[in-house]
């Protein structure tokens, strides 16, 4: 973490540097989270796992947003990748006015003309004009959509995401057609879903996304427990356990086989190895997280092979129970730990 912005609206929420990959080669990325008015969907309804509405700044102005970006860019030191997150949607005009979307891109483009810029958005805010006016200042614009799952049923009922697979396809096509890159986020283990079912859902989703957008990038995001969410309430009552690292390895390894290595599949878990994030027993977590981080650069499956720890037997037991008794398997598993 380079810095946190404190209470000032003209400073970003946080800025840091991290490793990522471009064309399967490791690169450094500069990441900033901007303070914005927050996600429109979260104000109207909101997703069951999302605590981003805890970071809402209703008084932020357009000039604050530009100052936040300029402040974050002071830390720019030749990184090839710049990520701007907003705890919502970059292309939502209620969150970032259209003219400000363009001004921010202009600032980034003049500081880092050859960098790739990543922004996140819900698909309903994607249109050709918006992408072109931001993309014209960047070498490459990458647009991430939090699809979460290719199943409309799970996205609507378990996550309350409020958009459909066909909305995602429409947005993804525009991203493709305007020469931008598409990144798709998949959520691993939605609430009210067993461990085994979550593996199956992730693999189906990887296959579906790959069929529609071969060669795009997929990020598998295992659930992390965010505060003041429905998922946190289930977690506190012992009714929800975040997924196992063994499950994540299974999804990454098998997913890469399913897509024949054509679509890069990565994971950079929030709270990995902690009780509120994807975890195993604690002892074997650091080594597995390290392997997943290296695998995410170039999808070399060998990095995921030959990992074993005795907790793998508990995981197998949990998977078997979650097939036969999905409702109580998490509760039972948590009561033993
Ligand atoms: S997950 Fe995304 S769309 Fe859902 S409430 Fe959070 S920021 Fe909004
Ligand atoms: Zn272990």
């Amino acid at each position: 973490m380079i810095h946190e912005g404190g209470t000032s609206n003209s400073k970003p929420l946080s800025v840091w540097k991290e490793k990522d990959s471009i064309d399967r080669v490791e690169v450094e990325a500069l990441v900033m989270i901007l303070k914005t008015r927050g996600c429109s969907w979260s104000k109207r309804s909101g997703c069951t796992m999302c605590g981003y509405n805890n970071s809402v700044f209703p008084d932020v102005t357009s000039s604050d947003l530009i100052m936040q970006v300029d402040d974050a860019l002071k830390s720019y030191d030749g990184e090839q990748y710049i990520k701007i997150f907003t705890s919502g949607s970059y292309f939502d005009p209620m969150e970032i006015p259209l003219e400000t979307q363009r001004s921010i891109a202009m600032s980034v483009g003049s500081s880092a003309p050859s960098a790739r810029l990543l922004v996140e958005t819900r698909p309903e805010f994607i249109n050709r004009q918006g992408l072109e006016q931001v993309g014209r200042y960047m070498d490459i614009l990458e647009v991430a959509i939090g699809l979460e799952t290719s199943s409309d049923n799970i996205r609507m009922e378990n996550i309350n995401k409020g958009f459909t697979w066909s909305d995602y396809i429409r947005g993804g096509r525009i991203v493709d057609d305007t020469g931008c890159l598409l990144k798709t986020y998949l959520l691993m283990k939605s609430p009210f879903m067993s461990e085994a079912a979550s593996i199956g859902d992730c693999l189906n989703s990887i296959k579906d996304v790959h069929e529609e957008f071969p060669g795009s990038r997929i990020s598998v995001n295992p659930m992390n427990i965010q505060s003041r969410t429905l998922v946190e309430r289930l977690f506190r009552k012992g009714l929800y356990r975040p997924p196992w690292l063994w499950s994540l390895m299974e999804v990454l390894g098998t997913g890469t086989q399913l897509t024949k290595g054509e679509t890069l599949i990565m994971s950079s878990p929030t709270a990995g190895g902690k009780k509120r994030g994807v975890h195993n027993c604690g002892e074997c977590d650091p080594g597995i997280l390290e392997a997943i981080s290296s695998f995410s650069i170039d999808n070399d499956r060998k990095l995921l092979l030959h990992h074993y720890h005795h907790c793998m037997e508990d995981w197998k037991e949990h998977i078997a129970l979650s097939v036969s008794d999905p409702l109580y398997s998490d509760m039972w598993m948590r009561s033993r730990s």
Side-chain angles (χ1 to χ4, degrees), residues 39 41-42 46-47 49-50 52 87-88 122 148 161:
C39 168
W41 175 245
S42 134
C47 303
M49 75 303 187
C50 181
Y52 289 169
S87 309
R122 287 174 61 90
E148 320 301 5
K161 193 85 192 188

Side-chain angles (χ1 to χ4, degrees), residues 323-336:
V323 171
S324 63
D325 197 351
L327 198 56
Y328 293 107
S329 58
D330 275 25
M331 201 196 299
W332 176 81
M333 185 50 65
R334 272 176 61 87
S335 70
R336 294 179 53 197

Side-chain angles (χ1 to χ4, degrees), residues 244 246 280-285 288 308-312:
W244 290 74
W246 298 123
N280 279 353
C281 67
E283 263 178 53
C284 61
D285 298 38
I288 292 176
Y308 182 80
H309 191 248
H310 59 76
C311 71
M312 189 185 254

Side-chain angles (χ1 to χ4, degrees), residues 59-324:
D59 302 326
V60 163
T61 63
S62 286
S63 55
D64 286 333
L65 286 163
I66 293 165
M67 281 192 279
Q68 288 182 42
V69 173
D70 288 343
D71 189 76
L73 286 171
K74 286 182 195 154
S75 305
Y76 180 69
D77 187 24
E79 289 79 16
Q80 288 168 263
Y81 206 170
I82 297 185
K83 307 180 187 179
I84 300 184
F85 298 148
T86 69
S87 309
S89 294
Y90 187 86
F91 292 110
D92 175 358
M94 298 300 288
E95 202 176 336
I96 304 186
L98 293 178
E99 184 54 31
T100 314
Q101 294 172 18
R102 194 182 67 82
S103 304
I104 289 173
M106 212 158 66
S107 276
V108 176
S110 64
S111 298
S114 57
R116 174 188 295 197
L117 173 65
L118 172 76
V119 295
E120 302 172 328
T121 189
R122 287 174 61 90
E124 64 264 35
F125 301 120
I126 296 177
N127 61 62
R128 180 178 284 273
Q129 196 192 356
L131 291 189
E132 283 175 350
Q133 73 152 355
V134 169
R136 80 161 62 111
Y137 298 101
M138 305 308 307
D139 191 31
I140 295 181
L141 175 64
E142 186 174 19
V143 179
I145 302 176
L147 171 69
E148 320 301 5
T149 165
S150 61
S151 158
D152 277 342
N153 197 33
I154 295 169
R155 195 177 330 91
M156 291 302 187
E157 302 300 327
N158 301 44
I159 305 176
N160 192 40
K161 193 85 192 188
F163 68 77
T164 62
W165 168 250
S166 56
D167 295 330
Y168 161 78
I169 298 287
R170 187 203 65 87
R173 290 259 173 276
I174 299 173
V175 171
D176 240 8
D177 293 347
T178 43
C180 302
L181 300 180
L182 176 67
K183 184 172 184 179
T184 303
Y185 297 145
L186 298 178
L187 177 66
M188 186 172 175
K189 202 169 174 185
S190 304
F192 315 113
M193 215 175 169
S194 72
E195 189 83 12
S198 76
I199 295 175
D201 171 58
C202 266
L203 290 174
N204 285 338
S205 301
I206 287 172
K207 195 167 136 298
D208 292 340
V209 169
H210 169 70
E211 277 172 14
E212 290 295 334
F213 300 106
S216 62
R217 310 211 305 171
I218 295 175
S219 177
V220 178
N221 299 333
M223 179 72 84
N224 69 92
I225 312 289
Q226 298 179 11
S227 58
R228 294 160 62 194
T229 59
L230 183 143
V231 173
E232 187 187 50
R233 284 170 69 185
L234 294 172
F235 174 74
R236 284 184 187 279
K237 286 180 189 298
L239 296 169
Y240 180 89
R241 184 207 190 275
W244 290 74
L245 279 164
W246 298 123
S247 301
L248 179 57
M249 284 181 98
E250 170 83 30
V251 164
L252 297 175
T254 308
T256 307
Q257 281 180 306
L258 284 175
T259 63
K260 303 182 191 68
E262 290 165 15
T263 294
L264 190 83
I265 305 171
M266 61 184 66
S267 186
S268 177
T270 302
K274 305 209 167 86
K275 286 277 177 240
R276 293 174 78 100
V278 59
H279 66 276
N280 279 353
C281 67
E283 263 178 53
C284 61
D285 298 38
I288 292 176
L289 284 165
E290 182 63 42
I292 288 172
S293 167
S294 303
F295 166 86
S296 295
I297 302 292
D298 60 2
N299 280 186
D300 179 358
R301 279 191 67 242
K302 287 198 291 299
L303 294 163
L304 300 183
L305 302 176
H306 312 304
H307 289 269
Y308 182 80
H309 191 248
H310 59 76
C311 71
M312 189 185 254
E313 304 309 322
D314 292 336
W315 170 68
K316 286 180 183 164
E317 204 178 347
H318 188 182
I319 292 286
L321 186 74
S322 79
V323 171
S324 63

